[in-house]
Amino acid sequence: MSSTPEIPRVVVIGAGIVGCSLADELTARGWTDITVLEQGPLPAPGGSTSHAPGLVFQTNSSKTLTALARYTVEKFTSLDVDGVSCFHQVGGLELATTPDRLAELHRRAGYAASWGVRGEIVSAARCKELWPLIDESLVLGGFHTPGDGLARALLASRAQMARACARGARFLERHTVTGIEREDGRVTGVVTDRGTFPADHVVSAAGFWGPVIGRMAGIDVPLQPLAHQYARTGPLPELSGATAEASKPILRFQDRDLYFREHTDRIGIGSYAHRPLPVDPFAVLPYDEARARNMDMPSSYPFTEEDWAPSWADCRQLMPTLRDAEIEAGFNGVFSFTPDGMPVLGESRRLRGFWLAEAVWVTHSAGVAKAVAEWMVDGRPSIDLHECDLTRFEEAQRSPSYVLERGAQQFVEVYDVIHPLQPMERPRPLRVSPFHARQQQLGAYFLEGGGWERPHWYEANAPLVDALGPLPARDAWSARHWSPVAAAEAKATREGVALYDMTPLRRLEVTGPGSLDFLDRMTSNNLRKKPGAVTYSLLLDASGGIRSDLTVARLAPDRFQVGANSPTDLDWLLRHAPADVHIRDITSGTCCVGVWGPLARDLVQPLTPDDFSHEAFGYFRARETYIGHVPVTAMRLSYVGELGWELYTTADLGLRLWDTLWEAGRELGVIAAGRSAFNSLRLEKGYRAWGVDMTDEHDPFEAGVGFAVRMDRDDFVGKAALAGKGEATRRLTPLLLDDPAAVVLGKEPVYVDGLPAGYVTSASYGYTLGRCVAYAWLPAGLPTGTGVHIEYVGEKIPATVADEPLFDPKMTRIRR
């Protein structure tokens, strides 16, 4: 197949639903030199696509996954093969048989309204109308989504394959990949048992074989295949005479980890209720060998009756007609799971041109393919994919044992009611700061993020709660992973001084003769300041979207310390760094204590030989000094809206730093405070959290961080795009809930004039203000005082658009 320099040569590994969708999306964008290699026969090569039951429920707590599913439905609905649609829009129905599940369905209805999916909570009687076979007496209610339905995955693969081939792509079956060729850090080709295929880009869309392909490329793929039970009944009298594949909504009985769909006059049943059944991707049989062993395909393992028995009893309880039915066929089908349940997408920095499109279910397949095709052709996807980026995992989260344990737990919890703060139980503790022993002594309540144990409050501060007066009562959901101690810690920070463990925040060291020019080009603010300056700046992409926000401290002419958000920030900077710039992640070897509150100076000044007065050590300044015997880098920053410093030192001296501050602060009433209070305080000040309040879908001006963009300086990444932007149509908007007792948590829909108009990003009770604070993406131009409603677990809660910052608008508390 000929190629021109203008059209890159692309080899896609895997002709399942993702590979076929990607070939279609790439060729539609003009990249027509596409070769799709498949080890099995086409069009049903034996991977997960070949046995997937095809249920598509679009609604997800992740805005990204919902967007990917919505596009999949839209695209598959537009495709057909021989007059048969690739999507059967029968709708979806999720049942609640417990009050907790019903509340969860109300939250899911909120997600649907937030992300633009049509759905409603329905009564038990309506559930019975939609699914006459269920026992209505067990059901409390349901969530009905008319736009959901059945994706005919193999048909959709065929349809997209045909379209891609018509534009120049080719699909080669029975080509087993045996190696990935590379040169000078770039992929150059794919080796198979039937020849080598040169390539400028290679995409691994191999499904649960992804780790096998990744190893050939020298790239670890954090993916764990697990087997999942699926069974089909014999013909049912109640469905006799049925001619359509399905007429009822796809059904979830999540209280028993079950789902159902019709197969004409039979019912197919999937179960997540059994023990995890991990599969070694390196031991999966080739297609022909699997067939020779009486397996339908490599991804279809023998049905384990002992695992099925409890689920079958639950099925018969929900649907009495099944008590006289038998299972006609069953298998354990292999699917891909990751440590956080999200896909793994993007291009490897270590091997340029090698892309992953892995751990993708049929539900999100076309959406993922579109996003990856945009990424490859245009340089960026049109939606935020930071939750799916292959670089998002910490090094400590990439071990095979971690991926296995967390992947298996994702399987167990796939239908569980999961609180947004709920951490997984194992493996913990994995990463701890040097202060961990002291935190345990203070009764820290730990949650987890990025593998780090993070105190959310300390039981040692419980006696302070009595001095607060009565706090508003919380419902059971918002009270989970919360304590009134957080209110006491917030008050102590506002009135005295508190120590916050900021160790998990990512720290990068950037050095070298080109470091200033490099950082100045990569970020939006002016970094050309004298050593000792700290600058809040943004990482933008070429379209002006916010990739991340940073604090950049210039410690010497050619040495910077950068406070970043995730491993993806490090990867982004390393991709663009010239040879005279050196970037090192120093997070694990260092630690940080935030010392904040009006008495912060009283605490630190006696411990240091330097002048920490406002005149000598101003806001957003940094210096290297000592706290007692401990060398520190002190930065006068505050994410809580109070006077204070972030104090950094090496991990080996961290405990000494903590003890020095603690002992000196006793007479000042110093406390340790956790992230629950921290989040409350930062929202009262209107400080944004990247990845929650803003992503690369947003530009700085609509997100309220335009102050970190200097359009009057030399070129920087994203400047041209920002210069061409028109008036914003949406804004990140502060809201105050009208009822002092009301609380929301985030991702709830916001209604303006009775219609859904946006969604909450982050929210927390503002203990200083006596109101819950919520930030939300809403139409631009809503004046202060505008009344809105936030839907929380089915209830419309009134709130009001407010001016920001809500607390200390003149910044007098920080600058003193």
Side-chain angles (χ1 to χ4, degrees):
M1 186 174 185
S2 62
S3 178
T4 65
E6 293 79 22
I7 302 178
R9 299 165 299 178
V10 180
V11 174
V12 179
I13 301 171
I17 188 63
V18 177
C20 292
S21 298
L22 182 59
D24 182 44
E25 295 287 343
L26 286 172
T27 55
R29 289 166 173 77
W31 281 26
T32 54
D33 192 346
I34 309 292
T35 301
V36 183
L37 301 174
E38 175 53 58
Q39 64 180 346
L42 294 174
S48 299
T49 300
S50 301
H51 67 68
L55 284 73
V56 176
F57 287 91
Q58 298 171 83
T59 305
N60 194 285
S61 61
S62 165
K63 180 175 179 287
T64 295
L65 287 188
T66 303
L68 297 173
R70 287 180 63 193
Y71 180 77
T72 299
V73 169
E74 175 188 328
K75 183 176 186 181
F76 288 1
T77 301
S78 71
L79 297 175
D80 71 85
V81 175
D82 300 329
V84 179
S85 174
C86 293
F87 191 78
H88 190 19
Q89 202 159 51
V90 292
L93 178 63
E94 303 177 49
L95 301 178
T97 59
T98 66
D100 284 349
R101 180 65 63 180
L102 186 59
E104 172 70 359
L105 294 188
H106 277 286
R107 285 187 287 271
R108 288 181 59 75
Y111 299 146
S114 291
W115 316 143
V117 175
R118 189 160 60 100
E120 63 174 341
I121 298 297
V122 296
S123 67
R126 178 59 177 153
C127 292
K128 178 71 170 179
E129 290 177 11
L130 292 166
W131 253 91
L133 302 186
I134 66 172
D135 181 351
E136 180 185 352
S137 68
L138 300 178
V139 178
L140 301 180
F143 176 44
H144 182 220
T145 46
D148 291 340
L150 293 166
R152 298 182 171 110
L154 288 178
L155 279 187
S157 296
R158 286 175 56 194
Q160 293 177 105
M161 190 186 310
R163 298 203 317 183
C165 289
R167 302 186 190 111
R170 59 175 175 171
F171 286 72
L172 303 178
E173 65 180 1
R174 295 191 176 278
H175 280 63
T176 300
V177 174
T178 59
I180 305 294
E181 291 191 331
R182 46 194 141 164
E183 185 177 338
D184 296 330
R186 281 205 64 89
V187 70
T188 59
V190 177
V191 182
T192 76
D193 58 351
R194 299 175 66 177
T196 298
F197 298 83
D200 303 303
H201 296 272
V202 173
V203 185
S204 176
F208 57 77
W209 284 286
V212 178
I213 302 300
R215 181 175 293 182
M216 296 178 192
I219 306 299
D220 64 308
V221 180
L223 177 162
Q224 177 59 53
L226 289 111
H228 157 61
Q229 290 202 300
Y230 191 79
R232 190 181 299 195
T233 70
L236 299 177
E238 291 82 357
L239 301 180
S240 64
T243 55
E245 178 188 5
S247 60
K248 301 174 185 61
I250 52 177
L251 182 69
R252 276 175 168 169
F253 181 23
Q254 291 151 301
D255 289 323
R256 291 295 183 270
D257 296 312
L258 292 165
Y259 62 82
F260 304 82
R261 58 153 294 181
E262 295 167 283
H263 292 279
T264 312
D265 62 348
R266 296 159 168 81
I267 292 180
I269 307 164
S271 172
Y272 292 100
H274 55 83
R275 62 194 167 97
L277 300 168
V279 173
D280 180 357
F282 295 90
V284 176
L285 298 175
Y287 185 92
D288 291 329
E289 188 174 343
R291 296 286 289 179
R293 298 193 186 187
N294 295 318
M295 294 169 61
D296 288 339
M297 59 190 79
S299 61
S300 178
Y301 279 55
F303 194 62
T304 49
E305 294 281 357
E306 66 277 14
D307 292 310
W308 177 250
S311 291
W312 186 226
D314 290 331
C315 293
R316 289 171 156 177
Q317 182 181 23
L318 179 68
M319 297 186 189
T321 188
L322 297 181
R323 292 168 188 169
D324 298 322
E326 298 294 334
I327 295 299
E328 184 176 71
F331 65 94
N332 291 358
V334 182
F335 289 91
S336 300
F337 289 80
T338 59
D340 60 3
M342 301 294 286
V344 180
L345 311 177
E347 182 191 20
S348 168
R349 176 176 50 82
R350 292 185 174 88
L351 183 59
R352 300 294 180 92
F354 183 80
W355 295 77
L356 295 180
E358 298 291 11
V360 182
W361 290 11
V362 171
T363 300
H364 312 109
S365 55
V368 162
K370 176 176 182 279
V372 172
E374 291 171 337
W375 208 342
M376 296 175 72
V377 176
D378 304 327
R380 72 182 298 273
S382 59
I383 67 169
D384 167 45
L385 290 181
H386 82 273
E387 294 176 310
C388 309
D389 196 298
L390 64 90
T391 64
R392 69 187 182 272
F393 294 109
E394 303 281 350
E395 196 64 32
Q397 297 174 304
R398 305 187 75 97
S399 70
S401 57
Y402 184 95
V403 173
L404 170 60
E405 193 161 6
R406 286 288 169 100
Q409 192 62 24
Q410 287 292 337
F411 177 92
V412 170
E413 295 181 353
V414 70
Y415 279 170
D416 286 0
V417 176
I418 303 295
H419 192 276
L421 293 176
Q422 180 177 326
M424 286 197 169
E425 295 178 0
R426 299 180 305 275
R428 289 180 63 195
L430 184 63
R431 306 175 79 186
V432 298
S433 80
F435 325 129
H436 186 70
R438 298 293 184 264
Q439 293 165 344
Q440 287 179 307
Q441 292 166 6
L442 293 170
Y445 183 87
F446 291 102
L447 298 179
E448 184 212 35
W452 288 100
E453 295 296 316
R454 299 185 175 196
H456 273 241
W457 67 83
Y458 295 85
E459 285 300 325
N461 297 324
L464 302 178
V465 174
D466 294 338
L468 295 177
L471 290 171
R474 289 202 172 206
D475 67 282
W477 185 249
S478 64
R480 198 175 298 183
H481 303 296
W482 173 86
S483 168
V485 173
E489 293 176 359
K491 184 174 188 290
T493 306
R494 290 276 189 243
E495 297 179 355
V497 61
L499 306 185
Y500 287 82
D501 181 2
M502 306 303 291
T503 300
L505 299 186
R506 183 162 304 277
R507 293 172 290 285
L508 310 177
E509 182 183 72
V510 182
T511 58
S515 54
L516 175 59
D517 289 341
F518 168 66
L519 288 173
D520 203 46
R521 183 178 72 255
M522 294 299 296
T523 67
S524 63
N525 212 335
N526 175 31
L527 302 184
R528 297 188 180 278
K529 304 171 183 176
K530 294 179 180 179
V534 183
T535 305
Y536 177 79
S537 194
L538 305 172
L539 281 181
L540 305 179
D541 61 23
S543 70
I546 305 170
R547 286 191 57 93
S548 189
D549 63 343
L550 311 174
T551 53
V552 183
R554 192 178 189 187
L555 302 179
D558 294 335
R559 180 165 63 91
F560 295 81
Q561 181 171 309
V562 177
N565 283 296
S566 75
T568 304
D569 295 343
L570 173 62
D571 184 85
W572 176 256
L573 293 172
L574 287 171
R575 286 174 188 268
H576 294 88
D580 62 349
V581 173
H582 309 286
I583 305 172
R584 187 167 65 99
D585 189 332
I586 60 172
T587 310
S588 296
T590 56
C591 59
C592 177
V593 181
V595 184
W596 290 311
L599 300 182
R601 184 175 288 116
D602 298 276
L603 174 54
V604 298
Q605 183 61 83
L607 302 174
T608 178
D610 282 88
D611 185 352
F612 270 48
S613 68
H614 180 64
E615 294 73 22
F617 197 157
Y619 192 50
F620 267 84
R621 300 292 299 173
R623 67 176 54 171
E624 293 173 305
T625 182
Y626 290 87
I627 297 294
H629 297 288
V630 180
V632 299
T633 299
M635 298 187 196
R636 190 167 167 200
L637 306 175
S638 176
Y639 206 51
V640 300
E642 296 293 337
L643 171 69
W645 288 264
E646 293 177 358
L647 302 176
Y648 299 89
T649 191
T650 52
D652 59 322
L653 290 167
L655 191 58
R656 183 61 178 263
L657 174 62
W658 180 279
D659 288 346
T660 299
L661 293 166
W662 188 261
E663 188 59 35
R666 282 182 182 275
E667 63 184 34
L668 299 173
V670 69
I671 68 161
R675 294 193 65 84
S676 186
F678 178 87
N679 197 46
S680 171
L681 297 169
R682 71 99 180 167
L683 280 171
E684 289 184 331
K685 282 297 294 179
Y687 293 148
R688 277 65 167 150
W690 184 86
V692 179
D693 299 312
M694 56 189 185
T695 69
D696 61 7
E697 290 185 0
H698 311 110
D699 73 51
F701 303 108
E702 62 189 9
V705 289
F707 63 87
V709 179
R710 289 289 299 272
M711 295 296 290
D712 59 347
R713 68 177 187 83
D714 291 341
D715 195 26
F716 57 86
V717 175
K719 179 181 178 181
L722 292 180
K725 285 190 179 291
E727 191 69 23
T729 60
R730 59 184 178 180
R731 297 281 185 192
L732 186 61
T733 305
L735 304 173
L736 278 176
L737 274 62
D738 295 351
D739 182 354
V743 174
V744 298
L745 299 181
K747 300 187 179 181
E748 297 88 356
V750 181
Y751 292 77
V752 178
D753 296 328
L755 298 174
Y759 60 91
V760 174
T761 56
S762 53
S764 180
Y765 199 85
Y767 301 109
T768 315
L769 302 173
R771 291 285 192 282
C772 183
V773 180
Y775 271 76
W777 281 102
L778 291 173
L782 292 179
T784 299
T786 299
V788 302
H789 287 85
I790 302 173
E791 184 177 339
Y792 177 74
V793 197
E795 179 186 355
K796 298 284 187 16
I797 298 176
T800 302
V801 174
D803 276 330
E804 63 174 342
L806 302 167
F807 176 79
D808 188 26
K810 296 183 179 180
M811 305 284 283
T812 56
R813 299 176 70 89
I814 293 177
R815 303 177 187 272
R816 59 181 173 183

